[in-house]
Amino acid sequence: MIMEEKGKSRLRWGGVLAAITLWLIAAGIGAQGEKPADKSQERPDVLMIDTLKAFGDLEKPRVVFLHDLHTDALEKKGKDCSACHLREDKSGKIPGAENLEDAVKGIDKLSPKFKRLKDTARQDVMDVYHKFCIECHTDMSSAGDKAGPVTCGGCHQKNPVKSSRQEMGLDKSLHFRHIKANDKKCEKCHHEYNEKEKKLVYVKEKEADCRFCHKKETEEKRISMRLASHIACVDCHRQILAKKNPDEKAGPVKCAGCHDLIKQKAIEKVAEVPRLERKQPDTVLVKTSVTEVDSKTYKMPPVAYDHKAHEGYNDTCRVCHHASMDACSKCHTLSGSKDGQFVNLEKSMHLASSNKACIGCHLKKQETQKCAGCHSFITKTKMKETSCKACHVKVPGEPEITPKTDTAPLAKAVLDARQAIITTYPDEDIPEKVVIKDLVKQYEAAEFPHRKVIQTLVKNISENKLAGYFHTDQGMICQGCHHNSPISKKPPKCANCHGKPFDEKSLYAPGMTGAYHQQCMGCHEAMGLKKPAGCTGCHKER
Amino acid sequence: MSISRRRFLAWMGGAGAGTAALATGANAGSKHFDGYPGSFGVLHDITHCVGCRSCEEACNKVNELPPPDKPFKDLTVLEQNRRTTPKAHTVVNKYLKPGSEKPVFRKIQCNHCLEPACASACFVRAFQKNKEGAVVYDASVCVGCRYCMVACPFEIPTYEYDKVLAPRVMKCTMCAPRLAEGKLPGCVEACPKEALTFGKRDDLIKIARERIRKFPDRYINHIYGEKEMGGTSWLYLSGVAFKDIGMREDLGVVSAPELTSGALGSVPIIVGLWPVLLTGIYAISQRKDKAALEEKTQAIVEAVAKAKKDAEKKLADALAKAAKDKDAAVKKALADAAKAKKEGA
């Protein structure tokens, strides 16, 4: 009897051990986690169909739909967009009519929805998708072609392929090409909603960015930017292409044509884009006071802004005009207003972290290689007070400025009087070579070609207007290395401030060795210099 | 003999009170140690390191270590990620993130934790954390068990396997003897770019925070070593994610001794109290059985004695009866003989 009991107990323990082992294996497999995403599989035409969200929670995962894949497949079968997109009104006119206008009018607008004009009810929409998708796939696969899935999980995928879609927008060059193609007829695309007449009208010289009204999601009486841009852009392109006129070019109609990164970069760019004609100002005086009675009472002089020049420096208008084409101070008032999200005028101009603000954009320009040698060391978190006067310049003659004064000519006067400082002290005052021998131990003294370096830096500034205007003193360029000291023709030597390293009393300044190496090597690295390289590049071995 | 209920309860109460009193000793190990005040550390600014290996050369010279296989000027060794070795207390590694052209260099050495796992694992106190902040090694008491190598979360201590007599555990000592003389650690002194900053640990944290504040685009907003494994004396600032340069981000903020203090603190109680308690209970339960056994034996002995007595009595009676019968038979035979004679004469 004792033998039987032992056998039973052994079996029990064996079972427990097996269970624990299996559990560990399962946990181990589970813990492996998801595989990292394969970037090469990403595509720009991925659409996630979640139309039923409007009717309640989704029961199954969203359906992944590859639009270009389908367009290409249907093209091979000789079908076009109307295979899936219904005509909005059935006028039945045949393309190829007498003139351009008639021809364009004759081809009907297509609905962006799939096989329907409206989303009516949950079951109806679901049925539309299921019926037509599965039907077409079944037909194609029975004909022997490669077709999409027909099972539930085939479309309602848990881990669909990721989208690499890039946002698309017009820049100056592309916009100009559209102006030319449409014969300067701005009304073809630009409109605004007239509250009184309750319809879309075109208002001359008030053309604006589509995104100012068309937001991310469709609102009650306003379609989303996505819908608006596809209806306006893709439809127009499609209509032109449908005419099959070899002399008429049109933009893309496939997803990848606009949204693929490589195709975007390949878009033809016009070299010299003529200035947009919208009666915009050439110069603007940004006022810093509300009363503006007497310019003598300004605490801070106003800023003269060269609007025309800045149009040339940027690719789009929306870089600065992010919500409307009005002047910044309309919404960003001196003390801030609700329209401007309570961002006051000072912040909207000075915010270092925003590309829309003057200073933010200028700081971004300092990151180019030619400037980064000095500017990568200058902290961007606090602006120097000396740089205020580069922009805030007193109006010559200090005239009276009232709310009615036309300030554009005053701004022009300031801008004309402004001069870019593109030189520094004369050569005799700049030491030609600086021999750094304070730390000679392992290596010989380093011979620093001081004057040559300064001359290169001055050349970089002279080619850059922004640098020229902001380097308001000819000694300012010395501050790149001779920092934390007042501007002077005889600035302090490095050893005057950098001595013993790891000094408790001056925690934040490196010692002499560290100072030289960090400043010199840091500048070389920021400016992308390949030489001098290695230790012996600067000082020979002993 | 069995124990009375009252006595039993008295014993249990005493055992419980004793356990509670001793248990406070275990909790002392879970207090958090922030480092000796004024202890030193080193801040390694990874954005400044250029991989020149001057620190490796200086460490080798200062500690009088044997010369390396490849000279320190040879930068091709950086192509492979290395670990500390018995001949090298510190190494510099190169890391290249795919898609980025600029390599990132990092110096690896003992991090001189505020509460070191190696010191905690060593049962002969060969590793000790001194007041200057260095974790120092005493080779004379080391037994070569290498528990420290198992315990270190950064996998730093190495062992001189090649030595037959007197092998040592080798690791960076933060140049404790040089610190005692007021000199800088060898690597810190040698670094030309001052990628290593020496100072009081509190000051180093201030310096690191200031650098992050001034150049937020240059640094990741985290000082590695400020809290990792309870805090280390060697702090790191980096411009790329720490896990991309071979530094573990999964260590947590609890020091190794704190993690093990609970289990280790309960050993004295368990060793001291449980055997006594369990033996006592065993003894008590055994005594009951013993008492029962004693009574049983006693009863048997008495029963046997009684049986023996009865048997003897029976025998004596039987013998007496036999003797009586014999007498009676002899008497009868004699009487018969006399009678026969009388009749025959």
Side-chain angles (χ1 to χ4, degrees), chain A residues 456-482:
Chain A
T456 315
L457 292 177
V458 169
K459 184 162 158 302
N460 286 348
I461 294 177
S462 66
E463 294 164 358
N464 187 324
K465 263 200 186 160
L466 183 67
Y469 289 132
F470 274 92
H471 289 213
T472 51
D473 190 306
Q474 55 177 343
M476 206 176 251
I477 193 174
C478 313
Q479 298 264 296
C481 291
H482 296 280

Side-chain angles (χ1 to χ4, degrees), chain B residues 13-27 269 273:
Chain B
T19 314
L22 287 173
T24 53
N27 288 333
I269 299 177
L273 197 67

Side-chain angles (χ1 to χ4, degrees), chain A residues 125-247:
Chain A
V125 174
M126 198 158 67
D127 287 342
V128 165
Y129 277 112
H130 285 153
K131 178 175 183 314
F132 290 110
C133 298
I134 299 176
E135 217 175 63
C136 177
H137 287 169
T138 336
D139 289 343
M140 281 189 77
S141 62
S142 45
D145 294 320
K146 241 178 76 164
V150 291
T151 58
C152 308
C155 290
H156 293 274
Q157 291 177 18
K158 279 219 182 113
N159 290 320
V161 63
K162 285 221 159 64
S163 167
S164 67
R165 173 167 58 241
Q166 301 291 322
E167 225 183 54
M168 181 61 185
L170 294 177
D171 62 1
K172 269 192 319 205
S173 148
L174 197 55
H175 187 256
F176 173 68
R177 289 172 63 198
H178 281 80
I179 296 178
K180 256 199 338 190
N182 285 299
D183 247 349
K184 290 202 186 168
K185 288 209 170 62
C186 311
E187 60 266 28
K188 282 256 159 68
C189 300
H190 289 284
H191 54 232
E192 59 178 57
Y193 185 69
N194 189 314
E195 286 284 340
K196 261 197 273 184
E197 293 171 39
K198 296 261 187 263
K199 64 173 183 172
L200 296 173
V201 294
Y202 167 66
V203 182
K204 201 163 158 62
E205 268 137 41
K206 283 262 176 277
E207 301 88 347
D209 190 327
C210 317
R211 288 184 177 86
F212 292 165
C213 293
H214 294 283
K215 307 286 183 198
K216 259 194 131 189
E217 300 291 332
T218 297
E219 290 156 31
E220 204 188 291
K221 292 234 185 252
R222 199 185 288 171
I223 51 177
S224 66
M225 180 61 192
R226 181 174 154 221
L227 274 176
S229 52
H230 284 104
I231 290 174
C233 310
V234 177
D235 220 36
C236 175
H237 293 168
R238 183 188 61 81
Q239 289 177 12
I240 296 175
L241 286 175
K243 283 189 261 148
K244 294 210 182 6
N245 185 341
D247 295 325

Side-chain angles (χ1 to χ4, degrees), chain B:
Chain B
M1 191 174 131
S2 56
I3 195 168
S4 74
R5 199 173 289 147
R6 186 175 291 178
R7 199 169 267 186
F8 177 76
L9 286 173
W11 275 114
M12 287 295 110
T19 314
L22 287 173
T24 53
N27 288 333
S30 54
K31 281 212 196 81
H32 183 62
F33 177 59
D34 272 329
Y36 290 105
S39 69
F40 294 106
V42 175
L43 173 65
H44 180 29
D45 193 331
I46 290 172
T47 61
H48 280 314
C49 182
V50 290
C52 68
R53 300 185 70 204
S54 305
C55 51
E56 291 187 42
E57 188 171 357
C59 174
N60 184 290
K61 202 155 70 168
V62 160
N63 290 298
E64 288 164 12
L65 294 168
D69 301 326
K70 289 202 182 148
F72 290 109
K73 292 266 186 288
D74 185 354
L75 295 182
T76 58
V77 305
L78 294 170
E79 296 306 317
Q80 280 205 317
N81 276 2
R82 300 171 292 153
R83 287 180 60 177
T84 49
T85 67
K87 298 206 189 105
H89 292 164
T90 181
V91 291
V92 174
N93 272 343
K94 180 160 100 164
Y95 301 92
L96 198 60
K97 204 170 156 184
S100 161
E101 300 152 357
K102 253 185 57 165
V104 173
F105 300 95
R106 168 176 80 103
K107 179 180 181 297
I108 303 175
Q109 72 300 305
C110 171
N111 287 325
H112 298 281
C113 306
L114 297 183
E115 286 195 271
C118 55
S120 164
C122 182
F123 48 84
V124 294
R125 294 197 77 208
F127 273 122
Q128 291 182 41
K129 173 91 173 166
N130 70 9
K131 293 216 174 53
E132 279 71 48
V135 177
V136 291
Y137 173 67
D138 185 355
S140 60
V141 297
C142 174
V143 297
C145 73
R146 289 167 289 125
Y147 281 1
C148 52
M149 295 170 69
V150 176
C152 178
F154 304 104
E155 295 175 9
I156 296 297
T158 59
Y159 193 69
E160 290 182 312
Y161 291 107
D162 297 334
K163 279 207 184 154
V164 175
L165 308 165
R168 298 167 289 172
V169 174
M170 303 294 275
K171 82 161 179 70
C172 161
T173 57
M174 214 201 266
C175 289
R178 281 173 66 100
L179 290 189
E181 291 172 26
K183 292 199 226 165
L184 291 167
C187 53
V188 172
E189 208 175 42
C191 179
K193 275 203 89 183
E194 271 183 44
L196 301 167
T197 307
F198 178 79
K200 297 214 175 74
R201 188 175 182 268
D202 298 325
D203 287 341
L204 293 177
I205 294 193
K206 264 197 239 163
I207 293 174
R209 290 255 158 258
E210 180 68 8
R211 285 189 200 175
I212 294 175
R213 188 191 71 84
K214 270 179 122 171
F215 300 104
D217 299 330
R218 190 188 162 98
Y219 295 105
I220 302 266
N221 184 10
H222 180 66
I223 306 174
Y224 190 95
E226 190 183 2
K227 301 225 164 65
E228 275 79 357
M229 293 309 289
T232 64
S233 299
W234 214 281
L235 307 163
Y236 299 82
L237 279 178
S238 168
V240 299
F242 289 101
K243 61 172 159 48
D244 290 336
I245 49 176
M247 296 170 80
R248 287 180 64 175
E249 288 189 0
D250 60 343
L251 291 172
V253 299
V254 183
S255 66
E258 266 185 74
L259 288 169
T260 52
S261 67
L264 289 179
S266 56
V267 169
I269 299 177
I270 293 174
V271 170
L273 197 67
W274 283 23
V276 176
L277 199 68
L278 294 174
T279 314
I281 295 173
Y282 179 72
I284 292 169
S285 62
Q286 285 302 305
R287 279 184 78 189
K288 182 184 74 173
D289 288 339
K290 202 166 155 200
L293 194 70
E294 263 182 38
E295 277 181 14
K296 202 167 164 194
T297 2
Q298 188 80 324
I300 289 173
V301 162
E302 280 179 6
V304 164
K306 187 157 176 276
K308 197 167 171 201
K309 225 169 155 185
D310 284 342
E312 271 178 9
K313 190 159 172 250
K314 251 202 189 138
L315 189 69
D317 284 344
L319 277 175
K321 188 159 178 259
K324 229 176 159 180
D325 283 345
K326 186 170 153 207
D327 276 341
V330 164
K331 234 185 193 165
K332 191 166 181 251
L334 274 177
D336 278 344
K339 200 176 169 196
K341 201 176 171 197
K342 219 179 203 181
E343 281 182 3

